[in-house]
Amino acid sequence: MAFQIKPNKKETDNKTIRFPLALINKIEAVIDDKDISFSGFVIQACEYALENMETTQEENSQTDKS
């Protein structure tokens, strides 16, 4: 499934992380005309990465068992 930006508001906590300036510029360019905050985009991107990483790990586990 391709990454799709979607509106989403959940209970949150603050975390401080550092981004390379080039990555910040790329993210801001992508979200410029979207109804989403920088934080919202980063949260969705992380969720997408985790969901797909888990799928990949599950596939590898199943392949190893074969």
Side-chain angles (χ1 to χ4, degrees), residues 7 9 27 35 41 46 48 54 56 66:
K9 303 213 181 227
I27 293 170
D35 185 24
F41 176 86
C46 290
Y48 177 82
E54 292 169 0
T56 302
S66 303

Side-chain angles (χ1 to χ4, degrees), residues 11-54:
E11 185 178 349
T12 62
D13 191 12
N14 289 327
K15 295 290 180 188
T16 301
I17 60 173
R18 296 178 188 269
F19 288 89
L21 292 177
L23 181 56
I24 291 172
N25 293 336
K26 287 179 183 179
I27 293 170
E28 288 177 341
V30 168
I31 66 173
D32 186 42
D33 61 344
K34 308 284 189 293
D35 185 24
I36 188 167
S37 66
F38 185 92
S39 293
F41 176 86
V42 171
I43 290 166
Q44 289 181 39
C46 290
E47 288 173 341
Y48 177 82
L50 289 169
E51 288 170 8
N52 285 285
M53 183 175 62
E54 292 169 0

